[in-house]
Amino acid sequence: MPSNLGSGGLAPKDVSGLTLTYGDRVDLLEQMVAGLCREGVGHLMVLANGLKAEPLARLHALARDTTVRGLSMTILESPENLGSAAGFGRLLSAARSVGTVKAVWFMDDDNLPCPGALAALLAVQAMHPGAAVSAVRRDRSYLVRAARTGIAPDPAPGVAFSMDLGRRPRNLWRRLTRGSPVPAPTPPAAVPIARVPYGGLLVPRALMEMVAPPREDFVLYADDYEYSERLGAAGGLFLAGAAEVEDLEASWNATGKRTPTLPQSQLVRLATMPADFRLYYSLRNALVLDRNRARGMAILPFVLNLTVLVMAGCTHAFARGRSANAQVILQAVRDGVSGRLGRSPDFPLP
């Protein structure tokens, strides 16, 4: 939605990148830093999320090199992996303390902005002063499709972790009454959108200061959706079709081939991926958001979709000899539906 927050006319040097890294991913981060230098970003804040001595030393060496290339880099250190929610919350707090930062640009440590991405974001931000603007993640088909057609999907009430038995009837009714979405003759510069992932999200300072940081009790996964929904409610959220971000490493939860009700890769992933923190937090947190959206008449389809999701996920898991996955699915569903958030001692972060 339009907003009167802030003002247009931001320059690349006014923008501070925000990213967090863990494990030993400095090689990926180096490529992302090169992309930020090319885009003219003035500053980068990196949270070293539980890095050990050797990758931490390489990260500090990278910071010295970027200073030579004109990009000021600040490293924050945490002895443990805080997760994405608390990690980005700490980075946002640090950014607010730097008066020269007029906007922040969220990046995953394996994101590479495509040439001209920041210029395209700033152009859209100038059109909608005070709003948050996101680049198109090339591995997210729903973002690519929204940029092409000018129509962004709204999360449907009653869906449970993408399980949506009503999708086919709704799509059929929409085609009968309104026709199929087609690419716009000229792709729109900005598309209003309900929520986006962190990678590629540009937030102006006024909006950053108005909206509370990501919820730490989400730990990681879906905290970006929850946060971006609040940004949109406060100042507006747009997708800039001409701004693209590439993932250097294939995301474990990138969009796959869809069936009429659920991405097939999602169901298979639930049943076959390691029965660890990724399975637990991604499913639990998504269900928290879905449950909060299921009100009134949407409660019944949510319960139905959730029941089918649990049955299908557990059946897939048992059929593949992955009983541990079925147990994690059940625990994540229990905690998600009951709203039990925060860190789980059963699923430590690496």
Side-chain angles (χ1 to χ4, degrees):
M1 70 181 189
S3 170
N4 295 320
L5 294 173
S7 60
L10 292 174
K13 291 295 183 183
D14 298 326
V15 176
S16 176
L18 302 182
T19 193
L20 46 86
T21 190
Y22 64 96
D24 187 0
R25 297 164 60 86
V26 179
D27 290 342
L28 294 169
L29 189 61
E30 286 177 346
Q31 298 178 68
M32 187 263 281
V33 166
L36 294 183
C37 289
R38 184 196 61 234
E39 294 299 296
V41 171
H43 188 233
L44 173 64
M45 293 185 175
V46 181
L47 175 64
N49 230 352
L51 265 62
K52 298 190 182 301
E54 196 276 332
L56 184 59
R58 290 172 56 209
L59 181 60
H60 280 281
L62 175 62
R64 291 189 292 271
D65 179 58
T66 59
T67 300
V68 174
R69 289 187 278 168
L71 175 65
S72 171
M73 185 168 163
T74 301
I75 299 174
L76 286 66
E77 298 180 22
S78 170
E80 63 173 340
N81 189 341
L82 299 176
S84 57
F88 275 120
R90 183 172 171 184
L91 287 166
L92 285 166
S93 178
R96 284 194 294 269
S97 70
V98 180
T100 56
V101 173
K102 297 181 180 179
V104 293
W105 196 12
F106 287 80
M107 284 283 165
D108 293 342
D109 62 0
D110 63 346
N111 285 161
L112 178 64
C114 297
L118 182 55
L121 286 171
L122 293 178
V124 172
Q125 210 282 321
M127 293 165 52
H128 302 279
V133 185
S134 178
V136 178
R137 289 275 292 273
R138 286 179 168 178
D139 69 334
R140 307 297 172 99
S141 63
Y142 74 98
L143 295 179
V144 174
R145 188 164 52 250
R148 187 179 71 249
T149 64
I151 303 172
D154 283 326
V159 171
F161 194 67
S162 297
M163 176 62 74
D164 186 5
L165 298 174
R167 178 180 293 145
R168 174 173 282 180
R170 283 200 311 275
N171 288 346
L172 177 60
W173 176 252
R174 188 179 297 114
R175 290 190 183 99
L176 290 173
T177 57
R178 288 181 281 175
S180 300
V182 295
T186 301
V191 181
I193 193 167
R195 60 188 189 181
V196 294
Y198 284 130
L201 174 63
L202 181 79
V203 183
R205 185 180 187 96
L207 186 58
M208 173 184 69
E209 293 178 338
M210 173 179 288
V211 176
R215 286 180 53 176
E216 294 188 12
D217 54 358
F218 271 61
V219 188
L220 78 168
Y221 301 131
D223 50 300
D224 48 2
Y225 283 168
E226 192 277 333
Y227 177 61
S228 61
E229 284 180 353
R230 288 189 284 115
L231 291 174
L237 179 62
F238 293 87
L239 185 69
E244 294 187 325
V245 169
E246 180 182 355
D247 279 60
L248 297 169
E249 184 178 74
S251 176
W252 72 272
N253 61 349
T255 306
K257 184 177 179 181
R258 288 179 178 270
T259 66
T261 56
L262 184 72
Q264 182 64 24
S265 59
Q266 289 266 49
L267 261 184
V268 173
R269 192 176 293 117
L270 286 177
T272 59
M273 67 181 292
D276 61 8
F277 68 98
R278 289 178 298 179
L279 174 55
Y280 173 76
Y281 287 115
S282 61
L283 180 54
R284 183 198 71 176
N285 293 351
L287 288 177
V288 168
L289 297 180
D290 291 339
R291 183 208 58 165
N292 291 342
R293 198 173 290 110
R295 298 177 180 176
M297 297 296 291
I299 293 177
L300 182 58
F302 173 73
V303 172
L304 178 60
N305 285 319
L306 180 63
T307 301
V308 174
L309 171 73
V310 173
M311 293 176 62
C314 291
T315 298
H316 273 271
F318 282 122
R320 289 166 171 77
R322 303 295 296 267
S323 60
N325 287 59
Q327 293 173 5
V328 175
I329 290 171
L330 292 173
Q331 183 173 347
V333 169
R334 285 195 301 267
D335 292 346
V337 172
S338 64
R340 188 179 298 117
L341 290 170
R343 286 197 180 212
S344 170
D346 296 330
F347 300 100
L349 303 184

